[in-house]
């Protein structure tokens, strides 16, 4: 006869498994991206286990080895389901965080030379300050009002460009400058030691508007996503230049993905005012300006965006345990001095970042970098979709929630994941890069000063538009190795 204690233990273990089974099924249902048929199958399996275990636990002789073994397995399975429920909840939280409405932050600093007597903003009314309003009047007006609200009237001189502003600071014609931090990289190009020579004594943060999505049924209709990688470390919401620019066209019915790479130096009119500038400089006016200008270039409506920065990239590659990527040539990166060999390379996070940023080692510079960025994106997608990701699943979830910003809604993300799990389609990835001639041209963001740019070929832009139109219309775009630029070369040779 079983004692009351034995019965109590048996029922406790059994009810523990019953409760954890219900919790797991509930969590799978609430996160919305697990197909219902998978949940039903899981429910049937868990119910069958409970029925079988009931007879093995309660209808066996007291202290039966099979009964004891079943109880042990039941307890272990319950613990596994608790862990599984936690990760399912975590996955749902990541999706919610990714799709949360995000506002970009514009940081505007008051900067002085390192040996300046100015220690804080309270001293500003006694000194003369310089700034540049011609390229970003709205932000400078905002900064002026905020500073004067805090400390009173200040003496300001408006310079025509950043070169003149820097000269005034270093020759002490002004005691300090007001600088939108999004433009710091442009100043660093003019004065390499600027960061070491100066210090920030005061900073204003200005919230920018969020980016609205142009929603479609992502499981049945093709859509366009702009992928932006800005050239900063730290907070992803900080406004800065866009160093990586890619337009991704996705057709969920034909299961094709088209990667269109836009060289950072493409020379094109800004959407905001029609002034010619590098495309990378659109980022200093905010993500919406990048999207609007890219829509002008491609004559296509962009539905969504995804954004990350250098810190994000490093964290993601670290989380997935490094990345294996194929290089078409041997080269040594200027950043970090890493040796990349022709063929397959296994790279850590810092090496991977240097790989996608490198351009000076190649004859065709930015074009080669764009192709390497496409290779890196394909390599990351390949690893994320492989069983190898299971060993770092938790770290990847944590990293993605902190490091990627997008305006895809949680419903859209859930629908895409559910479609992939339900049908397990094999995606065909094709890539194309806009090409053009290098030149020296005046850039609006530099106050009209000349800089290295790429003047895109009209035929290349038109071809990119045609490939997008074909994919959106459901036509299959096919090449042997996925490189549509090589396909264009073959066509030209035939002609």
């Amino acid at each position: 006869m079983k004692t009351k204690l034995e019965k109590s233990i048996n029922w406790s273990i059994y009810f523990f498994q019953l409760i954890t089974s219900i919790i797991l099924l509930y969590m799978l249902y609430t996160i919305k991206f697990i197909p219902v048929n998978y949940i039903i199958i899981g429910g049937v399996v868990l119910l069958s286990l409970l029925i079988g275990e009931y007879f093995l636990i309660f209808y066996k002789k007291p202290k039966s080895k099979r009964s004891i073994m079943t109880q042990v397995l039941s307890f272990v399975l319950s613990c596994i389901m608790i862990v599984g429920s936690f990760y399912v909840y975590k996955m749902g939280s990541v999706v919610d965080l990714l799709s949360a409405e995000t506002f970009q932050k514009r940081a505007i600093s008051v900067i002085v030379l390192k040996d300046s007597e100015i220690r804080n903003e309270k001293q500003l009314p006694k000194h003369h300050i310089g700034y540049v309003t011609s390229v970003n009047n709205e932000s400078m007006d905002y900064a002026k009002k905020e500073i004067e609200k805090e400390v009173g009237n200040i003496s300001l001189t408006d310079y025509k460009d950043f070169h003149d502003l820097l000269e005034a600071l270093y020759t002490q014609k002004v005691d300090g400058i007001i600088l939108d931090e999004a433009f710091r990289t442009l100043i660093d190009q003019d004065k390499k030691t600027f960061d070491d020579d100066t210090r920030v004594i005061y900073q204003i943060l200005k919230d920018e508007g969020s980016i609205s999505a142009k929603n479609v049924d992502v499981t049945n209709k093709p859509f366009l996503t702009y992928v932006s990688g800005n050239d900063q470390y730290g907070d992803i919401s900080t406004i800065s230049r866009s160093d990586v620019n890619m337009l991704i066209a996705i057709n969920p019915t034909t299961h094709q993905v088209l990667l269109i790479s836009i060289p950072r130096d493409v020379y094109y009119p800004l959407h905001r005012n029609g002034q010619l500038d590098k495309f990378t400089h659109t980022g200093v006016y905010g993500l919406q300006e990048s999207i609007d200008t890219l829509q002008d270039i491609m004559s296509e409506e962009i539905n969504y965006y995804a954004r990350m920065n250098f810190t994000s990239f490093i964290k993601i590659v670290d989380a997935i345990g490094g990345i294996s990527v194929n290089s078409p040539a041997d080269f040594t990166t200027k950043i970090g001095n890493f040796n990349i060999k022709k063929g397959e390379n296994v790279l850590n996070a810092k090496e991977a970042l240097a790989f996608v940023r490198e351009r000076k080692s190649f004859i065709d510079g930015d074009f080669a970098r764009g192709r390497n960025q496409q290779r890196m994106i394909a390599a990351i997608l390949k690893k994320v979709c492989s069983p190898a990701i299971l060993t770092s699943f938790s770290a990847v979830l944590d990293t993605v929630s902190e490091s990627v910003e997008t305006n895809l809604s949680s419903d859209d993300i859930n629908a895409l994941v559910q479609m992939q799990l339900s049908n397990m389609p094999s995606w065909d990835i094709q890539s194309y890069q806009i090409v053009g001639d290098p030149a020296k041209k005046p850039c609006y963001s530099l106050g009209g000063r000349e800089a290295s740019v790429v003047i895109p070929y009209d035929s290349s832009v038109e071809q990119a538009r045609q490939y997008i139109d074909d994919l959106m219309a459901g036509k299959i775009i096919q090449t042997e190795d996925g490189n549509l630029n090589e396909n264009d070369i073959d066509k030209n040779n035939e002609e």
Side-chain angles (χ1 to χ4, degrees):
M1 289 289 292
K2 291 185 179 180
T3 66
K4 287 185 178 181
L5 178 60
E6 288 175 326
K7 287 182 179 180
S8 177
I9 291 172
N10 291 346
W11 279 111
S12 296
I13 291 173
Y14 188 76
F15 275 116
F16 184 42
Q17 182 174 337
L18 174 63
I19 292 168
T20 54
S21 298
I22 293 170
I23 291 172
L24 178 60
L25 291 173
Y26 175 76
M27 294 304 302
L28 290 171
Y29 175 76
T30 55
I31 62 170
K32 300 192 186 314
F33 58 70
I34 303 297
V36 174
N37 58 318
Y38 283 22
I39 298 174
I40 292 172
I41 291 170
V44 170
V45 170
L46 291 175
L47 180 61
S48 300
L49 286 171
L50 283 166
I51 293 171
E53 289 169 9
Y54 178 83
F55 287 102
L56 288 171
I57 292 173
F58 297 105
Y59 285 87
K60 284 291 176 183
K61 293 179 181 179
K63 298 183 180 179
S64 160
K65 287 184 178 179
R66 187 173 294 180
S67 176
I68 294 170
M69 184 63 69
T70 302
Q71 291 177 61
V72 171
L73 291 175
S74 173
F75 181 77
V76 170
L77 181 60
S78 298
C79 292
I80 291 171
M81 286 191 289
I82 288 174
V83 174
S85 298
F86 170 74
Y87 279 113
V88 170
Y89 170 77
K90 198 171 185 179
M91 288 169 70
S93 299
V94 167
V95 171
D96 290 339
L97 284 170
L98 278 173
S99 58
E101 189 173 40
T102 305
F103 293 86
Q104 288 190 286
K105 295 176 185 175
R106 186 176 294 280
I108 306 166
S109 300
V110 179
I111 298 172
V112 298
L113 292 174
K114 269 201 174 163
D115 59 359
S116 170
E117 65 180 26
I118 304 175
R119 296 298 164 188
N120 57 59
E121 72 278 10
K122 301 296 182 184
Q123 297 173 265
L124 292 178
K126 299 177 183 178
H127 295 85
H128 196 62
I129 308 298
Y131 66 166
V132 174
T133 64
S134 59
V135 295
N136 196 7
N137 187 51
E138 183 184 344
S139 293
M140 290 300 102
D141 281 349
Y142 178 85
K144 178 178 180 293
K145 289 175 183 175
E146 290 298 305
I147 293 170
E148 292 189 334
K149 189 190 300 182
E150 184 71 22
V151 303
N153 291 335
I154 56 175
S155 174
L156 288 167
T157 296
D158 191 0
Y159 289 88
K160 70 172 185 177
D161 59 36
F162 293 120
H163 178 82
D164 288 353
L165 181 69
L166 275 181
E167 185 180 353
L169 177 65
Y170 277 87
T171 59
Q172 298 185 356
K173 290 179 182 176
V174 294
D175 302 308
I177 63 173
I178 300 174
L179 177 68
D180 184 336
E181 289 290 349
F183 290 81
R184 181 181 282 265
T185 49
L186 306 186
I187 281 189
D188 287 341
Q189 291 176 352
D190 202 19
K191 188 71 174 177
K192 301 293 185 186
T193 61
F194 179 73
D195 291 351
D196 295 326
D197 297 340
T198 62
R199 54 188 170 83
V200 174
I201 62 159
Y202 186 58
Q203 192 168 80
I204 303 116
L205 290 178
K206 179 176 180 285
D207 285 338
E208 304 279 306
S210 60
I211 312 298
S212 298
K214 299 177 177 72
N215 294 300
V216 296
D217 181 351
V218 293
T219 60
N220 291 302
K221 299 290 184 183
F223 58 95
L224 292 174
T225 299
Y226 168 53
V227 175
S228 170
N230 73 42
D231 63 351
Q232 294 291 304
Y233 294 91
D235 191 342
I236 190 174
S237 64
T238 302
I239 294 172
S240 69
R241 292 187 309 178
S242 186
D243 202 53
V244 177
N245 302 285
M246 203 166 292
L247 187 61
I248 302 182
I250 301 171
N251 191 316
T253 56
T254 62
H255 304 127
Q256 273 213 312
V257 176
L258 173 63
L259 308 178
I260 302 287
S261 181
I262 298 92
R264 66 194 293 280
D265 290 345
V266 157
Y267 195 56
Y268 205 82
L270 297 171
H271 178 82
R272 63 192 282 118
N273 56 20
Q275 297 292 322
L276 287 162
D277 208 339
K278 295 184 182 191
F279 186 79
T280 185
H281 291 168
T282 61
V284 301
Y285 299 106
L287 186 59
Q288 187 66 62
E289 177 65 20
S290 296
I291 292 172
D292 290 340
T293 302
L294 185 54
Q295 287 181 150
D296 293 342
I297 296 172
M298 304 310 301
S299 298
E300 299 280 356
E301 184 176 80
I302 297 172
N303 303 95
Y304 307 103
Y305 78 86
R307 187 171 184 261
M308 64 177 65
N309 62 10
F310 289 164
T311 301
S312 307
F313 182 85
I314 289 171
K315 285 182 177 180
I316 288 171
V317 175
D318 267 339
I320 62 178
I323 196 71
S324 179
V325 67
N326 194 284
S327 173
D330 295 321
F331 66 91
T332 300
T333 65
K334 302 301 180 186
I335 300 171
N337 202 35
F338 300 119
N339 293 317
I340 305 297
K341 63 183 181 181
K342 182 178 181 179
E344 205 70 18
N345 293 264
V346 178
L347 307 177
N348 63 29
K350 290 184 178 178
E351 291 167 339
L353 181 60
F355 177 84
V356 298
R357 293 187 67 190
E358 184 61 34
R359 61 179 173 137
K360 294 183 179 178
S361 296
F362 312 114
I363 294 174
D364 53 350
D366 205 34
F367 300 117
R369 173 164 62 176
R371 292 191 292 272
N372 279 342
Q373 288 168 356
Q374 290 176 330
R375 292 184 182 101
M376 182 60 69
I377 286 177
I380 290 174
L381 288 173
K382 181 179 177 182
K383 185 158 187 181
V384 168
C385 294
S386 73
I389 199 66
L390 295 175
T391 59
S392 53
F393 186 65
S394 178
V396 171
L397 285 179
D398 288 336
T399 301
V400 168
S401 66
E402 297 171 356
S403 306
V404 178
E405 178 186 301
T406 183
N407 61 350
L408 266 165
S409 69
S410 57
D411 287 342
D412 288 336
I413 296 172
N414 289 335
L416 284 170
V417 174
Q418 191 171 115
M419 178 190 71
Q420 184 67 25
L421 291 175
S422 295
N423 306 324
M424 297 302 289
S426 176
W427 293 85
D428 175 51
I429 301 175
Q430 301 288 321
S431 63
Y432 185 75
Q433 183 179 51
I434 291 175
V435 294
D437 285 325
K440 282 271 192 179
K441 292 288 182 180
C443 291
Y444 172 75
S445 297
L446 298 176
R449 290 184 178 273
E450 288 192 345
S452 299
V453 301
V454 170
I455 301 175
Y457 299 138
D458 290 340
S459 59
S460 182
V461 174
E462 188 54 44
Q463 182 63 80
R465 292 171 181 166
Q466 187 60 56
Y467 281 135
I468 292 174
D469 287 342
D470 288 347
L471 181 135
M472 302 292 272
K475 295 180 182 177
I476 300 298
I477 306 167
Q478 197 65 57
T479 59
E480 189 172 326
D481 62 355
N483 188 340
L484 293 167
N485 287 86
E486 291 293 331
N487 197 41
D488 285 352
I489 292 171
D490 293 340
K491 283 181 184 177
N492 292 334
N493 289 340
E494 290 173 7
E495 292 171 1

